[in-house]
Amino acid sequence: MVRIKGKAVSPGIAMGKALLYNFTREVVLAEPIGIKSVEREIWRLDNAVKKSRAQLKKIHLGLQKIMGADAAFIIETQHMLLSDSHLLGEIRAAIQGKLVKAEWAIRSVEKKYLELFRTIPDLSFKAKSNDISDVLNRLIANLRKSSAARSAAAAPAAPPGQVILVADDITPSEAATLMSNKRLLGLVLNKGGETSHTAILARTLGIPAILDTGNATELIASGDTLAVDSIGGEVIVQPSADAALEIGRKIEQFTQYKEQLKVLSRLPELTRDQHQFHLYANIELPFESEVVQSFGAKGIGLFRTEFLYLDSKMSISEDEQCLIYKQIAQNIYPHPLVIRTYDLGRDKSDPARPRREDNPSLGLMAVRLFLKEREPFKVQIRAIMRANASGNIRILFPMITEIEEVLAIREIMAEAKKELQRAGTYPKKDVKTGIMLEIPAAVRLIRHLGDAVDFYSVGSNDLIQYLLAVDRNNTDVAHLFSPFHPAFIHILREIRAEVDRAGKEVTVCGEMAGQRLTALMLLGMGFTNFSMNAMAIAEIKKAFTQIDYARLRRIVAQLKRFGSRTEVEAFLRAELEKQYPGVLASQGS
């Protein structure tokens, strides 16, 4: 019996037979061609593009059957890449300029893009690089005639019976095909992260998945009995009789737990003493809106649209955006949809136009980039306004630092509204406007903004980072990144007081909102709107419905006595456990 640790990205527990899925990436050599062969190579490329589009359409339809139209957006982004004149133009230029076969031209363009992706520190965006590799590898497969190439070009073969798939990594199109055929009990990968399309699909379909194991494919053989515990984050290879019994018990417990969560998702959002709260979902991809309400979400508190922009490689038009936003708004109606404008810069640079800055976290980003390069953002604003026929869409602007930025944004929005009114495409329902409180200076603006802002969202991750001068992704200083720092607690109290004075709404949408201890602390400070990963909603709702709001307020009020993050956390944890035993324990384990 062997235990393999990894990153649990989709909760659940499963036991079954392993199937190793190993696609060997073919070596492509730089084969030179003569000038007279250029036209033929471009013909070969165009033919491969046609074949690839047809294959992706087939996968798209298969995914659509099980998960709906929006779920198939993951494959649609790849189809869009194959319609991207810029990307295909680079490949054609490489054939013509380097006088090489199409396969090598594709590899050279892929290398360029992957190197650009590697310069971006944000892991959630790095995961999206799989889309480019996936679609370019498909092109190469369709250029070649070998059996390996044909198998890569086609959708992966459906495994016989229900299995646990084990692989080094799988591409988004492979993940979509394998998961939509309903034969996967679980998924184990050497690589991958929690924000990859593969992980998102697994969570959406409820398939237990453990990624980033490092060497699972070396320790597992096809036919081995596997237990995937995506609560504890481990894979057990050939479990002993006792271990198998334990896993069986956990599967039964988790099944009961999921049934409890279904019941919980339908309960009113009220604390034990009948105080109202609201739980919303954060999403990155349109198809996620199909399922968030099943987790108990009362709307979408944060739609991170930069992934839509970056996945589509700048090819997404105003009309396409409008249709996407409108569909999401209809999916969750009458609940709100908060659309954050492109939060580009810093750790999410555009690979097609990389920008080098000595300190990108203090540089040209988000709204600063918006006001410098206005056209893509203005297109997005028009699309959001047009989509608001149902009246439940709100627009959110990230990384505000001064009033002048807010006023400039309002001018652009007024221009966009007039343009749409002239064109007869304005739906006569104004979009509410909000700003994110992510920079400490923005908190001091609240009392001065008046009606220029309709609502606020607290981006707790960045607010902590900028307040404490700590990069949470830097392992040397990550221990200093703490939501329990007295200075951060003070600024949260200031936000609550200033927003109340202004008579506006405020939502917390950082990681704090989806973790029991910090969410309870926020509720005790008077915050009642929370937006989080949909998977966390039931856990937070369970915790909130177990407590008395008035008593929680009294507990949290005592935090101002302490001067260190260690004291704050220890006191809060001890008091909650004393007053409400078990309230901090995850019920999924």
Side-chain angles (χ1 to χ4, degrees):
M1 185 172 77
V2 177
R3 294 179 183 268
I4 303 169
K5 289 293 184 182
K7 182 176 291 184
V9 299
S10 177
I13 304 171
M15 188 157 59
K17 296 296 183 182
L19 177 71
L20 255 67
Y21 180 76
N22 291 315
F23 169 67
T24 304
R25 180 183 167 98
E26 289 191 67
V27 175
V28 175
L29 301 176
E31 298 180 53
I33 60 172
I35 190 70
K36 292 182 180 179
S37 298
V38 167
E39 188 176 337
R40 181 178 183 277
E41 288 304 309
I42 290 177
W43 175 85
R44 289 180 67 232
L45 173 66
D46 292 343
N47 194 44
V49 168
K50 290 178 184 177
K51 288 182 180 178
S52 298
R53 285 176 179 163
Q55 291 158 1
L56 289 171
K57 184 176 181 180
K58 184 177 179 181
I59 297 171
H60 182 279
L61 290 173
L63 190 60
Q64 197 172 19
K65 285 179 183 178
I66 185 171
M67 293 172 64
D70 283 347
F73 179 80
I74 284 177
I75 300 305
E76 186 61 27
T77 59
Q78 294 199 9
H79 200 277
M80 290 164 70
L81 282 169
L82 287 176
S83 304
D84 187 347
S85 58
H86 179 77
L87 180 66
L88 296 178
E90 286 193 73
I91 298 171
R92 293 188 184 100
I95 293 171
Q96 295 168 328
K98 298 178 181 179
L99 293 178
V100 292
K101 293 189 74 171
E103 290 91 334
W104 181 256
I106 291 170
R107 277 282 184 261
S108 63
V109 170
E110 179 190 23
K111 181 181 179 183
K112 169 193 166 185
Y113 276 94
L114 293 186
E115 286 175 351
L116 286 171
F117 274 94
R118 275 191 283 270
T119 66
I120 302 170
D122 184 83
L123 295 177
S124 61
F125 181 50
K126 280 186 176 182
K128 307 300 185 282
S129 66
N130 275 351
D131 281 307
I132 289 182
S133 282
D134 192 1
V135 77
L136 295 183
N137 284 330
R138 182 175 294 278
L139 283 179
I140 291 173
N142 281 311
L143 284 164
R144 297 208 153 179
K145 303 299 180 183
S146 69
S147 59
R150 284 196 298 273
S151 68
Q162 290 193 306
V163 297
I164 293 171
L165 191 78
V166 182
D168 180 57
D169 199 3
I170 56 176
T171 65
S173 63
E174 289 171 325
T177 304
L178 289 164
M179 291 182 191
S180 63
N181 64 32
K182 296 186 178 180
R183 291 186 177 178
L184 283 195
L185 288 172
L187 180 66
V188 179
L189 299 181
N190 291 344
K191 300 176 183 176
E194 62 185 342
T195 58
S196 68
H197 281 162
T198 300
I200 292 170
L201 276 170
R203 286 195 292 270
T204 302
L205 289 173
I207 295 173
I210 296 182
L211 279 53
D212 197 22
T213 63
N215 63 345
T217 53
E218 298 172 18
L219 302 172
I220 299 170
S222 285
D224 281 351
T225 298
L226 294 187
V228 176
D229 180 357
S230 196
I231 303 296
E234 71 172 0
V235 182
I236 304 174
V237 186
Q238 301 287 55
S240 65
D242 288 344
L245 283 173
E246 177 64 14
I247 286 294
R249 184 184 64 79
K250 284 187 174 183
I251 291 173
E252 186 176 343
Q253 285 181 337
F254 190 74
T255 301
Q256 293 173 354
Y257 169 67
K258 286 196 295 183
E259 290 302 314
Q260 291 172 5
L261 293 188
K262 286 181 183 178
V263 174
L264 187 64
S265 70
R266 295 190 289 267
L267 293 178
E269 293 179 314
L270 295 170
T271 62
R272 207 160 65 175
D273 55 351
Q274 302 298 295
H275 191 84
Q276 184 84 50
F277 58 86
H278 302 283
L279 304 181
Y280 307 111
N282 297 339
I283 68 169
E284 294 176 2
L285 297 171
F287 78 83
E288 293 177 89
S289 67
E290 297 267 346
V291 297
V292 294
Q293 290 186 85
S294 67
F295 291 107
K298 298 302 182 184
I300 293 171
L302 180 64
F303 177 23
R304 299 183 178 102
T305 59
E306 58 273 11
F307 296 105
L308 180 68
Y309 176 84
L310 294 165
D311 272 352
S312 62
K313 275 202 67 270
M314 298 175 59
S315 64
I316 189 160
S317 68
E318 181 180 323
D319 288 343
E320 289 169 325
Q321 286 188 70
C322 179
L323 286 173
I324 289 169
Y325 302 146
K326 184 181 288 186
Q327 183 61 56
I328 297 174
Q330 290 172 352
N331 286 346
I332 64 164
Y333 185 84
H335 305 304
L337 163 63
V338 178
I339 301 174
R340 186 178 71 184
T341 57
Y342 303 134
D343 191 7
L344 298 170
R346 294 183 298 164
D347 51 5
K348 299 183 186 72
S349 300
D350 186 344
R353 297 185 301 166
R355 179 179 284 104
R356 308 293 182 191
E357 293 184 287
D358 291 337
N359 196 337
S361 289
L362 299 179
L364 191 62
M365 58 186 173
V367 163
R368 299 174 187 181
L369 180 60
F370 178 136
L371 296 175
K372 185 177 177 66
E373 300 179 13
R374 298 188 176 193
E375 192 52 34
F377 295 92
K378 193 173 182 182
V379 167
Q380 185 181 32
I381 287 172
R382 285 198 301 262
I384 293 170
M385 287 179 167
R386 286 173 55 194
N388 194 35
S390 53
N392 60 327
I393 294 179
R394 301 179 175 190
I395 189 167
L396 180 64
F397 295 94
M399 303 303 292
I400 296 292
T401 56
E402 61 178 13
I403 287 178
E404 286 79 0
E405 290 171 333
V406 177
L407 297 178
I409 288 167
R410 297 299 308 212
E411 287 180 10
I412 294 170
M413 291 183 69
E415 290 173 11
K417 180 177 178 179
K418 286 180 182 177
E419 291 167 3
L420 295 176
Q421 286 174 329
R422 284 196 296 267
T425 55
Y426 191 77
K428 298 181 182 179
K429 293 184 179 180
D430 290 340
V431 177
K432 287 188 176 181
T433 304
I435 67 169
M436 293 204 74
L437 301 173
E438 300 172 280
I439 298 174
V443 177
R444 296 302 171 93
L445 301 181
I446 297 172
R447 65 177 59 190
H448 302 290
L449 286 168
D451 291 334
V453 171
D454 300 309
F455 68 96
Y456 295 88
S457 288
V458 178
S460 60
N461 299 340
D462 277 323
L463 187 56
I464 295 172
Q465 176 167 276
Y466 286 109
L467 180 68
L468 304 183
V470 172
D471 179 359
R472 65 195 180 110
N473 295 316
N474 182 334
T475 55
D476 291 328
V477 296
H479 65 284
L480 298 173
F481 183 94
S482 172
F484 302 107
H485 193 290
F488 182 62
I489 289 173
H490 178 79
I491 204 169
L492 286 174
R493 291 188 184 282
E494 183 177 352
I495 290 170
R496 184 68 267 178
E498 291 293 337
V499 171
D500 285 345
R501 187 179 291 113
K504 307 291 183 180
E505 291 181 29
V506 61
T507 299
V508 182
C509 57
E511 285 184 14
M512 288 180 70
Q515 297 172 355
R516 285 189 171 219
L517 184 60
T518 48
L520 285 165
M521 181 177 77
L522 289 164
L523 183 64
M525 288 182 179
F527 292 94
T528 54
N529 296 334
F530 302 81
S531 191
M532 64 201 73
N533 183 309
M535 298 296 296
I537 288 174
E539 290 280 359
I540 298 303
K541 190 172 186 180
K542 189 172 183 67
F544 284 5
T545 55
Q546 289 177 322
I547 59 92
D548 299 287
Y549 179 73
R551 185 185 296 181
L552 181 64
R553 291 280 281 174
R554 290 193 294 271
I555 293 171
V556 173
Q558 297 182 65
L559 298 182
K560 59 188 175 185
R561 294 164 33 202
F562 304 105
S564 81
R565 57 184 171 86
T566 306
E567 291 174 316
V568 168
E569 182 176 3
F571 173 82
L572 182 61
R573 190 180 295 277
E575 283 297 305
L576 288 173
E577 285 289 5
K578 183 172 71 174
Q579 300 285 345
Y580 303 102
V583 73
L584 299 179
S586 170
Q587 300 300 304
S589 56

